Amino acid sequence: MFKYSKVALGIATCFVLTGCLEVEDNDDNQKLVEQLEQQNSIIQEQLDITKQQHETTQAPITITGRIVSVSEGVSASDASISVLVEGQWRESSAVNEQGQFSLTKLPANTEVLVKVSSAKEAFLTRYFAVNTSSSPITRETTYDLLDLEVSAGYTKEFTVLESGTGDILKALSIWSADIVVDEGMQSQSIPRDAYLERMTKEYGQKAVFNEDKGVYQISLAKDLPSALYYQADINEDRIADYRPEFASYDTDADSMMLVSADNVRDTDTFHLEPVEQQAYTLALTVLDRNGNVIEVDRVVAQGNDMGAQFATLNADTGQYELDAKYFGDLTLQIPGFVRGDVAFSSATVHIFDYNEHNESYRVNANGSDITVDLVDNTLNLVVKVFDSLVEETSVVLVQSKAMRTAEDYAELYFNVPVAVEASSIKLKKNQDIAISSENGITTVDAKPITVAANTSTDLNNTRLRITPETTL
């Protein structure tokens, strides 16, 4: 609703009231009334213009498009359009004979959801997510979505089994990712992923478990692609409870893909693996290159969700022990360290999936994959750290500046601070000219000579300046 400014209201009220005063019926009073009414009319026009500009500023976007059926023999002529704006559905409207529609007075730079449905259920209801574009102030902008495709629907039936037990999972929340995203109006300022996930969960087609048949049933578009997703976190503890069989996954994922759009029609049985917390005692032995047990500065556990971050050294066994409690994978990291004049490199151990059939874990240590048995609920691991002699950094000349004039000086820049012995610096004048004359013959002799020099350092002793004691 348009809100008049206080100033405009005050002026408008003042003139309206003045125009309604009772006056004597004479020419002067009649002229005054006409003038007041004329001024009221001008003010009202200005207010109407301001109101229109305000409405345009608040809702300057119009989106247009055309509804097209991709299913043979299915018409989209009875399609109706409605739009969800800021949590509120607007009244639906029909398309014209060509299937075209127009949605006006939409806010700029806002996520809206366009719903296309059929009164006679000729096609499956479909949703289109649109991020309206930005618009200059007081200027209306029209954006064409082009063709919005709809399709006849069909009912897909499928079964979801738990890996290992083969039990039917009946209580899953499964939906179709059938909301179409308009890529042409994406905005960096709006978190589209969160919006789309929320809209898909709320408005996407939902699967219902049929107890009599023992299958899930869901309505899908026959001639348009749509993947199926499911609620991975069933008990709402922010940790996934089921993952697709043999697939990589994120333990923090709230939802996961059950089947891609390419395979949804050809697959009727799906298997999900239960995601279980790993809980055992981890004992890590660290060896040097000669096979001797060695102490390290620390062993860090990355991904030990419910356990400690640092392993503890058992003085009796020489092993680093840790109560492992986590979901997914676990990584152990040993930072590089120095012992005397020997530097040891860092090392990493990755602990992957658990094989319940032979009670073992797949482990990558020192770059090699191995299988390690879980014995008495303890996982014993061995990793090597490699050593090298600690060497001082070599002194390297990074840059130099030569002497170009008689009063100049030389500068040398080094990669590390240096200490200079003055006696080690020698300047050599390449051509010292000596002229002599004997028996009418003049001889010019050019030979190198050594010149005394002064030295100084600055820039944290990384720059050496060499200055000759006498002018060259």
Side-chain angles (χ1 to χ4, degrees):
M1 180 181 293
F2 174 72
K3 297 181 180 179
Y4 294 94
S5 68
K6 293 182 179 179
V7 174
L9 275 176
I11 295 174
T13 304
C14 174
F15 279 112
V16 170
L17 291 177
T18 305
C20 294
L21 291 175
E22 294 185 4
V23 296
E24 295 182 6
D25 189 13
N26 56 51
D27 292 341
D28 292 338
N29 289 334
Q30 184 62 33
K31 290 179 180 180
L32 176 60
V33 171
E34 292 175 353
Q35 290 174 352
L36 291 174
E37 290 178 348
Q38 184 178 6
Q39 291 175 344
N40 280 340
S41 177
I42 294 173
I43 292 174
Q44 186 60 49
E45 290 179 2
Q46 292 174 341
L47 289 174
D48 291 341
I49 292 173
T50 302
K51 178 181 178 182
Q52 183 179 2
Q53 291 176 339
H54 178 78
E55 291 176 347
T56 301
T57 301
Q58 296 301 309
I61 304 298
T62 296
I63 57 176
T64 60
R66 186 170 70 109
I67 308 304
V68 177
S69 172
V70 297
S71 297
E72 185 177 354
V74 175
S75 172
S77 59
D78 72 332
S80 63
I81 306 293
S82 54
V83 59
L84 179 68
V85 182
E86 297 176 344
Q88 298 294 325
W89 283 103
R90 294 188 180 180
E91 186 176 352
S92 61
S93 59
V95 300
N96 64 16
E97 295 179 355
Q98 290 74 38
Q100 296 173 330
F101 68 91
S102 178
L103 299 172
T104 61
K105 297 183 178 180
L106 299 175
N109 199 29
T110 303
E111 292 284 7
V112 299
L113 193 66
V114 179
K115 176 183 178 182
V116 183
S117 57
S118 168
K120 299 178 181 179
E121 297 184 351
F123 57 83
L124 194 68
T125 298
R126 208 169 192 214
Y127 296 86
F128 300 83
V130 178
N131 175 205
T132 60
S133 60
S134 300
S135 174
I137 296 177
T138 71
R139 182 183 301 174
E140 295 183 1
T141 301
T142 300
Y143 184 81
D144 191 355
L145 297 178
L146 302 177
D147 292 347
L148 303 187
E149 296 179 333
V150 293
S151 164
Y154 77 102
T155 299
K156 178 176 177 58
E157 297 183 346
F158 58 94
T159 304
V160 183
L161 304 179
E162 182 179 283
S163 297
T165 66
D167 295 338
I168 297 177
L169 299 176
K170 302 179 180 181
L172 294 175
S173 175
I174 302 173
W175 62 89
S176 171
D178 51 7
I179 292 183
V180 183
V181 180
D182 179 68
E183 302 293 347
M185 300 178 70
Q186 289 197 47
S187 169
Q188 298 297 326
S189 62
I190 295 179
R192 290 181 61 84
D193 291 343
Y195 175 82
L196 290 173
E197 183 176 0
R198 189 172 72 254
M199 291 299 101
T200 300
K201 282 186 177 182
E202 186 167 355
Y203 296 105
Q205 296 290 336
K206 306 296 190 302
V208 177
F209 188 77
N210 187 315
E211 288 284 354
D212 295 333
K213 292 186 174 183
V215 297
Y216 286 92
Q217 296 175 323
I218 188 172
S219 296
L220 298 177
K222 184 180 70 172
D223 300 305
L224 291 171
S226 58
L228 295 182
Y229 282 76
Y230 69 98
Q231 188 77 24
D233 179 13
I234 297 176
N235 55 13
E236 298 183 352
D237 61 355
R238 298 184 179 181
I239 298 175
D241 296 295
Y242 283 95
R243 67 167 179 173
E245 192 175 51
F246 304 120
S248 59
Y249 71 105
D250 180 3
T251 56
D252 297 328
D254 181 55
S255 59
M256 296 184 189
M257 181 186 292
L258 181 66
V259 61
S260 66
D262 295 333
N263 298 321
V264 67
R265 293 183 66 89
D266 302 328
T267 311
D268 298 325
T269 302
F270 304 99
H271 295 85
L272 297 182
E273 291 182 343
V275 178
E276 299 178 351
Q277 176 182 307
Q278 305 302 312
Y280 56 87
T281 298
L282 188 148
L284 176 67
T285 302
V286 184
L287 304 177
D288 63 16
R289 67 168 67 243
N290 298 318
N292 300 313
V293 176
I294 186 173
E295 290 188 14
V296 300
D297 287 347
R298 59 189 176 278
V299 177
V300 185
Q302 298 290 341
N304 199 28
D305 308 299
M306 280 68 69
Q309 184 180 6
F310 299 98
T312 303
L313 177 62
N314 185 322
D316 295 330
T317 64
Q319 292 180 302
Y320 289 88
E321 297 180 349
L322 178 78
D323 287 333
K325 295 180 181 179
Y326 62 93
F327 289 91
D329 301 336
L330 182 65
T331 300
L332 303 177
Q333 293 180 323
I334 301 174
F337 59 98
V338 176
R339 291 289 182 270
D341 59 352
V342 178
F344 290 87
S345 61
S346 61
T348 302
V349 179
H350 297 287
I351 305 171
F352 297 105
D353 44 298
Y354 175 68
N355 188 326
E356 61 182 9
H357 299 297
N358 56 18
E359 297 182 341
S360 65
Y361 284 88
R362 181 169 62 90
V363 178
N364 184 287
N366 296 124
S368 299
D369 274 352
I370 57 176
T371 299
V372 181
D373 291 344
L374 188 66
V375 180
D376 296 331
N377 204 40
T378 299
L379 191 69
N380 288 279
L381 302 178
V382 178
V383 64
K384 279 187 177 182
V385 290
F386 296 92
D387 59 89
S388 59
L389 291 176
V390 179
E391 298 179 356
E392 293 185 358
T393 304
S394 300
V395 179
V396 178
L397 179 62
V398 178
Q399 187 61 269
S400 63
K401 169 186 171 297
M403 289 184 286
R404 301 297 182 186
T405 66
E407 292 81 15
D408 206 355
Y409 48 83
E411 287 182 333
L412 305 178
Y413 293 83
F414 297 96
N415 62 321
V416 293
V418 296
V420 181
E421 294 182 6
S423 60
S424 67
I425 301 296
K426 293 183 179 180
L427 280 182
K428 183 181 288 186
K429 185 177 181 181
N430 288 334
Q431 293 183 338
D432 185 66
I433 299 175
I435 301 175
S436 62
S437 178
E438 185 177 353
N439 300 325
I441 298 175
T442 300
T443 302
V444 178
D445 188 16
K447 59 182 179 181
I449 64 170
T450 300
V451 179
N454 295 318
T455 63
S456 63
T457 58
D458 60 357
L459 301 181
N460 193 27
N461 295 326
T462 60
R463 178 170 66 179
L464 169 62
R465 177 173 293 181
I466 305 171
T467 307
E469 290 186 355
T470 58
T471 302
L472 301 181

